[in-house]
């Protein structure tokens, strides 16, 4: 329960530009505002064409383009990117792409202190957080450091036109998951709850329109607006059981990030709802749902053709107990007590893909 007269809220010092075409029309201006003269652009191999267009728009301020970003930021990729930043004498970095590319930009910022501008092409929300991640010897380390928080974020709906509908849907539900857990976070606050409710509402309204007309700049713009709000919730609060489970399933079993969030969220919320009824009600209201919030989320995913079971994502049933052990190995804040049996129940339901609360 959030008390309107007892909370801490720290605003994140960053600028946000949201406009169609902004990646190539606004990024250079953002770099200039930061006083940057030698900018390294980073991206993944698949996003290179877009990143090249952003790089070209920087004109003489472009110092180089690094296109090796990969999922979970392998430490050797970060090493090479840092080497390149130093070799070209970069005084700033622009990351163009999804959470993987932005993660690489953050790794450069962490090691070198260079200011980062993010130009996101998915709804994952990393651009709004001071959280970095690095993977070494199969283990992902994460931490919070203000240095990695982008100084400026350029949201361009045109960049997301190429995001395939299935990934748009799961990435959008990934964003919704940030807002859901922010509503019952120990460090929730009234303003975060406002952003969370509006983020869930805007994303749930935008996704069916994106799915029906993936070329609609209006729908894409509304989805990015929602991603911004949901990402802000992620950056402002401490996530609970849902994010822990997805971290374990992605990190240890290699399940895909956005899809895993989509499958787990209804079940994690069904588990937590009895201990966080106000948050669950707020989610249901934001979804305009006649039914409870977990069911509404599960039905939204189903209507949009998203995967609904961990089995579909390739997890083995035998891995459920290992995942439950890993997700309960260390304590973390969650509205409902985290127990191995409780977590295993959530995982079993998510594995089978049944309606939440019916297993
Ligand atoms: P991603 O960046 O790996 O992108 C998924 C796939 O989509 C990739 O193949 C990519 O090339 C492709 N893609 C991205 N944008 C595209 C576009 N516009 N058109 C066509 N294809 C496109 O995945 P993601 O879901 O954006 O991010 C997940 C990663 O980000 C994970 O490693 C996760 O841990 C991290 N993350 C970190 C934070 C944080 O706060 N540190 C927050 C959210 C996510």
């Amino acid at each position: 329960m959030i008390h309107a007269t007892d909370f801490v809220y720290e605003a994140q010092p960053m600028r946000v530009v949201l406009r169609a075409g902004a990646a190539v029309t606004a990024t250079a201006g953002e770099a200039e505002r930061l006083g940057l003269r030698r900018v390294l652009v980073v991206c993944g191999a698949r996003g290179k064409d877009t990143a090249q267009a952003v790089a070209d728009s920087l004109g003489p301020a472009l110092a180089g383009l690094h296109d090796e970003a990969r999922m979970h930021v392998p430490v050797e990729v970060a090493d090479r990117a840092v080497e390149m930043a130093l070799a070209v004498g970069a005084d700033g970095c622009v990351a163009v792409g999804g959470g993987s590319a932005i993660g690489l930009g953050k790794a450069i910022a962490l090691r070198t202190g260079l200011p980062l501008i993010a130009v996101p092409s998915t709804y994952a929300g990393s651009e709004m957080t001071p959280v970095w991640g690095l993977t070494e010897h199969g283990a992902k380390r994460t931490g919070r450091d203000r240095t990695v928080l982008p100084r400026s974020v350029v949201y361009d709906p045109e960049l997301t036109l190429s995001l395939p509908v299935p990934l748009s849907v799961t990435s959008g539900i990934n964003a919704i998951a940030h807002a859901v857990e922010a509503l019952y976070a120990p460090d929730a606050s009234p303003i975060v709850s406002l952003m969370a409710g509006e983020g869930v509402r805007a994303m749930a309204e935008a996704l069916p329109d994106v799915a029906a007309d993936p070329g609609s700049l209006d729908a894409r713009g509304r989805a990015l607006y929602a991603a911004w709000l949901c990402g802000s919730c992620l950056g402002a609060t401490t996530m609970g059981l849902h994010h822990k489970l997805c971290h374990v399933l992605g990190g240890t079993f290699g399940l895909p990030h956005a899809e895993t969030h989509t499958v787990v969220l209804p079940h994690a919320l069904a588990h937590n709802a009895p201990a966080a009824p106000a948050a669950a009600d707020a989610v249901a209201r934001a979804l305009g749902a006649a039914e409870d919030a977990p069911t509404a989320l599960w039905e939204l995913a189903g209507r949009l053709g998203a995967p609904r079971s961990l089995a579909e994502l390739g997890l083995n049933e035998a891995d459920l107990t290992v995942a439950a052990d890993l997700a309960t190995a260390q304590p973390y804040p969650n509205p409902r007590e985290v127990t191995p049996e409780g977590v295993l129940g959530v995982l079993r339901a998510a594995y089978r893909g049944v309606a939440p609360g019916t297993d």
Side-chain angles (χ1 to χ4, degrees):
M1 186 64 199
I2 303 142
H3 295 284
T5 53
D6 180 2
F7 61 87
V8 173
Y9 172 70
E10 193 174 342
Q12 308 276 21
M14 69 157 57
R15 242 171 86 86
V16 171
V17 177
L18 193 160
R19 187 180 304 127
V24 291
T25 58
T27 306
E30 293 306 300
E32 204 180 317
R33 283 180 71 96
L34 292 168
L36 305 181
R37 287 159 189 275
R38 292 198 57 77
V39 177
L40 178 68
V41 176
V42 300
C43 64
R46 262 173 74 183
K48 192 171 176 188
D49 289 351
T50 316
Q52 186 67 57
V54 175
D56 292 344
S57 77
L58 293 172
L62 177 68
L65 176 68
H66 177 94
D67 64 358
E68 291 181 35
R70 281 199 279 125
M71 195 81 163
H72 302 313
V73 197
V75 80
E76 59 278 8
V77 172
D79 288 344
R80 281 199 296 277
V82 168
E83 262 169 43
M84 182 167 176
L86 298 176
V88 300
D91 61 3
C93 181
V94 172
V96 184
S100 299
I102 294 169
L104 180 58
K106 286 177 160 182
I108 296 172
L110 183 70
R111 297 258 188 90
T112 62
L114 293 181
L116 175 65
I117 298 173
V119 187
S121 67
T122 69
Y123 310 132
S126 177
E127 67 279 1
M128 299 311 295
T129 86
V131 177
W132 55 266
L134 275 169
T135 302
E136 192 169 17
H137 309 306
K140 186 167 180 177
R141 283 184 296 130
T142 59
R144 285 180 97 86
D145 193 312
R146 273 175 162 253
T147 324
V148 310
L149 184 75
R151 307 287 177 89
S152 173
V153 178
V154 177
Y155 286 112
D156 180 356
E158 284 181 11
L159 229 61
T160 58
L161 292 176
S162 56
L163 195 63
V165 167
L167 188 50
S168 302
V169 168
T170 53
S171 192
I173 297 176
N174 177 195
I176 289 177
H178 309 328
V180 168
E181 290 226 294
L183 282 162
Y184 54 58
D187 36 12
S189 68
I191 195 155
V192 166
S193 297
L194 283 173
M195 289 193 290
E198 173 66 356
V200 172
R201 182 203 65 74
M203 188 62 88
E205 281 182 21
L207 288 182
D209 297 341
V210 166
D213 183 4
S216 161
L217 273 180
D218 173 62
R220 292 291 191 178
R222 287 185 281 121
L224 268 181
Y225 159 68
W228 165 51
L229 292 172
C230 294
S232 302
C233 294
L234 177 68
T237 58
T238 309
M239 297 284 108
L241 173 66
H242 168 77
H243 278 74
K244 180 68 183 182
L245 282 173
C246 294
H247 185 85
V248 166
L249 292 167
T252 306
F253 303 101
L255 296 199
H257 182 81
E259 290 87 337
T260 305
H261 273 271
T262 302
V263 169
V264 172
L265 183 62
H267 304 286
L269 182 57
H271 182 75
N272 279 340
D281 286 351
V283 175
R285 270 198 312 279
L287 292 169
E291 64 281 77
D292 59 279
T295 305
L297 286 168
W298 187 77
E299 284 182 348
L300 177 72
R303 267 201 311 282
L304 296 173
R308 286 202 291 200
S309 75
L310 294 176
E312 255 175 284
L313 301 185
L315 192 73
N316 295 318
E317 197 164 4
D319 292 334
L320 296 179
T321 45
V322 184
D325 286 347
L326 287 170
T328 50
Q330 270 132 26
Y332 47 88
N334 190 61
R336 185 166 168 184
E337 192 192 351
V338 176
T339 63
E341 309 74 54
V343 170
L344 193 55
V346 172
L347 282 168
R348 283 212 180 102
Y351 179 81
R352 292 175 50 208
V354 294
T358 59
D359 201 29

